[in-house]
Amino acid sequence: MNRAPTPLVSLPDPAAARRWCADWRARGRTLGFVPTMGALHDGHLSLVERALDENDAACVSVFVNPLQFNEQRDFERYPRDLGADAQLLEGAGCTMLFTGTLAGFFPGELDARGELLPAAWREPGPSATGLEGDLRPGHFRGVATIVERLFDVVRPDRAYFGHKDFQQTLVVKDLARALGYPAIVVCPTAREASGLARSSRNELLLPADRERAAVLSRALFAARDAWCAGERRPARLSAAMRTVLADGPATLEYAEIRDPERWTRDEPVGPIERAVALVAARLGGVRLIDNLRLDEPA
Ligand code: PAF
């Protein structure tokens, strides 16, 4: 839907955002929330569009959350451009943007070294085991901790997440179930023409690697072809992905199958009736993830 650009309310700290959201809700209006780490792309904008369709306002947070990074270097080089993000959000008709610092999100909850006190952490639920949870220890604990705090600031009716971070959507659903709010809406992955899933991290890829990175989606599509041909054994489906990725430009971390509705730490052994294919690989020093539901129409 084309929306006339509206003036974006831009707030520099969580306290101001909390007041704005409380005032909005006090007027009986609904709020859709899109949490982000910035470096926004079409995938994020599709979440904002959906939030605007389903609520009276869309609110976006931009905060590169240090709690969820395993490597300091990865945190430091994560792309940041708040000015460009604000312009994109204004063009998309977003209502409010807020940002903040760790101390702003957790006032009085940091120690003298600036680290979060143990009581302020949120332990993630059962979906945090396996794959990303095993390869990035503490990552989902950092995600659950900041997302709980972001929800507490905004108190949204609905929160919007991209399917691309599939395991994260499960972790966030675990959290929302424990908190009793908000409704979690998972939106389709936006892809480049090559099939590469849109991601803020794509900005870190060299131009040639950006083309090569489409090998991840080609692997997922190979698993879907096998599924459509009747294959239901997870080991065979993941083997189809590994064949595409073998000797390719990317260093594979995993290419596995899960039942999307019954998350397990390990790949299921017997034939399954629902399947999501998940892949993670490194290319030119950039870690990329992608996934595809095999049991849903393309
Ligand atoms: O998906 C992301 O960008 C982040 O993990 C999130 C949900 C904004 C939490 O920092």
PDB file of all heavy atoms in Angstrom, residues 74-91:
ATOM      1  N   ASP A  74      32.057  -8.268  16.083  1.00  0.00           N
ATOM      2  CA  ASP A  74      30.787  -8.354  15.361  1.00  0.00           C
ATOM      3  C   ASP A  74      29.880  -7.192  15.802  1.00  0.00           C
ATOM      4  O   ASP A  74      29.223  -6.547  14.976  1.00  0.00           O
ATOM      5  CB  ASP A  74      30.140  -9.707  15.678  1.00  0.00           C
ATOM      6  CG  ASP A  74      28.978 -10.028  14.757  1.00  0.00           C
ATOM      7  OD1 ASP A  74      28.927  -9.484  13.640  1.00  0.00           O
ATOM      8  OD2 ASP A  74      28.117 -10.841  15.168  1.00  0.00           O
ATOM      9  N   PHE A  75      29.870  -6.916  17.104  1.00  0.00           N
ATOM     10  CA  PHE A  75      29.060  -5.807  17.626  1.00  0.00           C
ATOM     11  C   PHE A  75      29.556  -4.470  17.063  1.00  0.00           C
ATOM     12  O   PHE A  75      28.766  -3.645  16.605  1.00  0.00           O
ATOM     13  CB  PHE A  75      29.135  -5.797  19.162  1.00  0.00           C
ATOM     14  CG  PHE A  75      28.536  -4.568  19.790  1.00  0.00           C
ATOM     15  CD1 PHE A  75      27.177  -4.316  19.686  1.00  0.00           C
ATOM     16  CD2 PHE A  75      29.333  -3.656  20.473  1.00  0.00           C
ATOM     17  CE1 PHE A  75      26.609  -3.170  20.253  1.00  0.00           C
ATOM     18  CE2 PHE A  75      28.779  -2.517  21.045  1.00  0.00           C
ATOM     19  CZ  PHE A  75      27.416  -2.274  20.934  1.00  0.00           C
ATOM     20  N   GLU A  76      30.886  -4.299  17.066  1.00  0.00           N
ATOM     21  CA  GLU A  76      31.443  -3.000  16.641  1.00  0.00           C
ATOM     22  C   GLU A  76      31.190  -2.728  15.163  1.00  0.00           C
ATOM     23  O   GLU A  76      30.932  -1.607  14.766  1.00  0.00           O
ATOM     24  CB  GLU A  76      32.942  -2.960  16.929  1.00  0.00           C
ATOM     25  CG  GLU A  76      33.200  -2.619  18.386  1.00  0.00           C
ATOM     26  CD  GLU A  76      34.605  -2.987  18.835  1.00  0.00           C
ATOM     27  OE1 GLU A  76      35.449  -3.294  17.974  1.00  0.00           O
ATOM     28  OE2 GLU A  76      34.826  -2.971  20.066  1.00  0.00           O
ATOM     29  N   ARG A  77      31.260  -3.771  14.343  1.00  0.00           N
ATOM     30  CA  ARG A  77      31.127  -3.502  12.913  1.00  0.00           C
ATOM     31  C   ARG A  77      29.690  -3.666  12.406  1.00  0.00           C
ATOM     32  O   ARG A  77      29.443  -3.577  11.204  1.00  0.00           O
ATOM     33  CB  ARG A  77      32.100  -4.347  12.103  1.00  0.00           C
ATOM     34  CG  ARG A  77      31.763  -5.793  12.038  1.00  0.00           C
ATOM     35  CD  ARG A  77      32.727  -6.479  11.091  1.00  0.00           C
ATOM     36  NE  ARG A  77      32.275  -7.816  10.825  1.00  0.00           N
ATOM     37  CZ  ARG A  77      32.643  -8.527   9.774  1.00  0.00           C
ATOM     38  NH1 ARG A  77      33.464  -8.027   8.891  1.00  0.00           N
ATOM     39  NH2 ARG A  77      32.201  -9.737   9.591  1.00  0.00           N
ATOM     40  N   TYR A  78      28.752  -3.934  13.308  1.00  0.00           N
ATOM     41  CA  TYR A  78      27.356  -4.038  12.872  1.00  0.00           C
ATOM     42  C   TYR A  78      26.956  -2.715  12.225  1.00  0.00           C
ATOM     43  O   TYR A  78      27.213  -1.640  12.773  1.00  0.00           O
ATOM     44  CB  TYR A  78      26.441  -4.348  14.067  1.00  0.00           C
ATOM     45  CG  TYR A  78      25.093  -4.856  13.623  1.00  0.00           C
ATOM     46  CD1 TYR A  78      24.894  -6.206  13.368  1.00  0.00           C
ATOM     47  CD2 TYR A  78      24.039  -3.983  13.403  1.00  0.00           C
ATOM     48  CE1 TYR A  78      23.663  -6.666  12.915  1.00  0.00           C
ATOM     49  CE2 TYR A  78      22.809  -4.440  12.955  1.00  0.00           C
ATOM     50  CZ  TYR A  78      22.630  -5.778  12.713  1.00  0.00           C
ATOM     51  OH  TYR A  78      21.411  -6.228  12.250  1.00  0.00           O
ATOM     52  N   PRO A  79      26.340  -2.728  11.018  1.00  0.00           N
ATOM     53  CA  PRO A  79      26.066  -1.462  10.317  1.00  0.00           C
ATOM     54  C   PRO A  79      25.115  -0.551  11.100  1.00  0.00           C
ATOM     55  O   PRO A  79      24.144  -1.013  11.684  1.00  0.00           O
ATOM     56  CB  PRO A  79      25.426  -1.903   8.992  1.00  0.00           C
ATOM     57  CG  PRO A  79      25.124  -3.347   9.125  1.00  0.00           C
ATOM     58  CD  PRO A  79      25.916  -3.905  10.257  1.00  0.00           C
ATOM     59  N   ARG A  80      25.437   0.737  11.107  1.00  0.00           N
ATOM     60  CA  ARG A  80      24.611   1.714  11.827  1.00  0.00           C
ATOM     61  C   ARG A  80      24.434   2.957  10.975  1.00  0.00           C
ATOM     62  O   ARG A  80      25.430   3.497  10.487  1.00  0.00           O
ATOM     63  CB  ARG A  80      25.284   2.138  13.146  1.00  0.00           C
ATOM     64  CG  ARG A  80      25.392   1.045  14.199  1.00  0.00           C
ATOM     65  CD  ARG A  80      26.432   1.454  15.229  1.00  0.00           C
ATOM     66  NE  ARG A  80      26.458   0.618  16.418  1.00  0.00           N
ATOM     67  CZ  ARG A  80      27.165  -0.497  16.564  1.00  0.00           C
ATOM     68  NH1 ARG A  80      27.894  -0.961  15.557  1.00  0.00           N
ATOM     69  NH2 ARG A  80      27.151  -1.161  17.708  1.00  0.00           N
ATOM     70  N   ASP A  81      23.221   3.425  10.778  1.00  0.00           N
ATOM     71  CA  ASP A  81      22.964   4.692  10.084  1.00  0.00           C
ATOM     72  C   ASP A  81      21.566   5.174  10.479  1.00  0.00           C
ATOM     73  O   ASP A  81      20.583   4.980   9.746  1.00  0.00           O
ATOM     74  CB  ASP A  81      23.084   4.508   8.561  1.00  0.00           C
ATOM     75  CG  ASP A  81      23.068   5.845   7.826  1.00  0.00           C
ATOM     76  OD1 ASP A  81      22.646   6.849   8.437  1.00  0.00           O
ATOM     77  OD2 ASP A  81      23.470   5.869   6.649  1.00  0.00           O
ATOM     78  N   LEU A  82      21.501   5.820  11.636  1.00  0.00           N
ATOM     79  CA  LEU A  82      20.198   6.208  12.188  1.00  0.00           C
ATOM     80  C   LEU A  82      19.483   7.221  11.292  1.00  0.00           C
ATOM     81  O   LEU A  82      18.259   7.176  11.146  1.00  0.00           O
ATOM     82  CB  LEU A  82      20.376   6.771  13.602  1.00  0.00           C
ATOM     83  CG  LEU A  82      19.092   6.996  14.390  1.00  0.00           C
ATOM     84  CD1 LEU A  82      18.282   5.713  14.554  1.00  0.00           C
ATOM     85  CD2 LEU A  82      19.396   7.584  15.773  1.00  0.00           C
ATOM     86  N   GLY A  83      20.275   8.123  10.651  1.00  0.00           N
ATOM     87  CA  GLY A  83      19.665   9.136   9.769  1.00  0.00           C
ATOM     88  C   GLY A  83      18.943   8.462   8.606  1.00  0.00           C
ATOM     89  O   GLY A  83      17.783   8.796   8.298  1.00  0.00           O
ATOM     90  N   ALA A  84      19.622   7.509   7.960  1.00  0.00           N
ATOM     91  CA  ALA A  84      19.001   6.805   6.823  1.00  0.00           C
ATOM     92  C   ALA A  84      17.794   6.000   7.309  1.00  0.00           C
ATOM     93  O   ALA A  84      16.751   5.956   6.638  1.00  0.00           O
ATOM     94  CB  ALA A  84      20.027   5.882   6.168  1.00  0.00           C
ATOM     95  N   ASP A  85      17.908   5.379   8.488  1.00  0.00           N
ATOM     96  CA  ASP A  85      16.775   4.600   9.022  1.00  0.00           C
ATOM     97  C   ASP A  85      15.557   5.499   9.229  1.00  0.00           C
ATOM     98  O   ASP A  85      14.436   5.139   8.863  1.00  0.00           O
ATOM     99  CB  ASP A  85      17.157   3.962  10.371  1.00  0.00           C
ATOM    100  CG  ASP A  85      18.179   2.840  10.226  1.00  0.00           C
ATOM    101  OD1 ASP A  85      18.376   2.363   9.090  1.00  0.00           O
ATOM    102  OD2 ASP A  85      18.785   2.462  11.245  1.00  0.00           O
ATOM    103  N   ALA A  86      15.791   6.676   9.805  1.00  0.00           N
ATOM    104  CA  ALA A  86      14.674   7.596  10.083  1.00  0.00           C
ATOM    105  C   ALA A  86      13.993   8.019   8.782  1.00  0.00           C
ATOM    106  O   ALA A  86      12.758   8.078   8.708  1.00  0.00           O
ATOM    107  CB  ALA A  86      15.185   8.796  10.863  1.00  0.00           C
ATOM    108  N   GLN A  87      14.802   8.267   7.745  1.00  0.00           N
ATOM    109  CA  GLN A  87      14.220   8.669   6.452  1.00  0.00           C
ATOM    110  C   GLN A  87      13.341   7.563   5.877  1.00  0.00           C
ATOM    111  O   GLN A  87      12.228   7.807   5.401  1.00  0.00           O
ATOM    112  CB  GLN A  87      15.338   8.956   5.462  1.00  0.00           C
ATOM    113  CG  GLN A  87      15.644  10.439   5.383  1.00  0.00           C
ATOM    114  CD  GLN A  87      16.638  10.720   4.266  1.00  0.00           C
ATOM    115  OE1 GLN A  87      17.239   9.809   3.702  1.00  0.00           O
ATOM    116  NE2 GLN A  87      16.800  11.988   3.956  1.00  0.00           N
ATOM    117  N   LEU A  88      13.863   6.331   5.930  1.00  0.00           N
ATOM    118  CA  LEU A  88      13.084   5.197   5.398  1.00  0.00           C
ATOM    119  C   LEU A  88      11.777   5.038   6.179  1.00  0.00           C
ATOM    120  O   LEU A  88      10.719   4.802   5.596  1.00  0.00           O
ATOM    121  CB  LEU A  88      13.899   3.904   5.510  1.00  0.00           C
ATOM    122  CG  LEU A  88      15.009   3.712   4.492  1.00  0.00           C
ATOM    123  CD1 LEU A  88      15.820   2.465   4.827  1.00  0.00           C
ATOM    124  CD2 LEU A  88      14.416   3.574   3.080  1.00  0.00           C
ATOM    125  N   LEU A  89      11.866   5.180   7.493  1.00  0.00           N
ATOM    126  CA  LEU A  89      10.665   4.990   8.317  1.00  0.00           C
ATOM    127  C   LEU A  89       9.639   6.078   8.047  1.00  0.00           C
ATOM    128  O   LEU A  89       8.436   5.826   7.977  1.00  0.00           O
ATOM    129  CB  LEU A  89      11.041   4.960   9.804  1.00  0.00           C
ATOM    130  CG  LEU A  89      11.826   3.715  10.225  1.00  0.00           C
ATOM    131  CD1 LEU A  89      12.297   3.833  11.662  1.00  0.00           C
ATOM    132  CD2 LEU A  89      10.976   2.449  10.050  1.00  0.00           C
ATOM    133  N   GLU A  90      10.130   7.299   7.875  1.00  0.00           N
ATOM    134  CA  GLU A  90       9.201   8.400   7.581  1.00  0.00           C
ATOM    135  C   GLU A  90       8.485   8.130   6.252  1.00  0.00           C
ATOM    136  O   GLU A  90       7.267   8.280   6.146  1.00  0.00           O
ATOM    137  CB  GLU A  90       9.958   9.731   7.538  1.00  0.00           C
ATOM    138  CG  GLU A  90       9.025  10.888   7.271  1.00  0.00           C
ATOM    139  CD  GLU A  90       9.448  12.149   7.988  1.00  0.00           C
ATOM    140  OE1 GLU A  90       9.434  12.143   9.232  1.00  0.00           O
ATOM    141  OE2 GLU A  90       9.768  13.119   7.294  1.00  0.00           O
ATOM    142  N   GLY A  91       9.259   7.696   5.255  1.00  0.00           N
ATOM    143  CA  GLY A  91       8.677   7.381   3.945  1.00  0.00           C
ATOM    144  C   GLY A  91       7.661   6.252   4.032  1.00  0.00           C
ATOM    145  O   GLY A  91       6.712   6.203   3.251  1.00  0.00           O
TER     146      GLY A  91
END
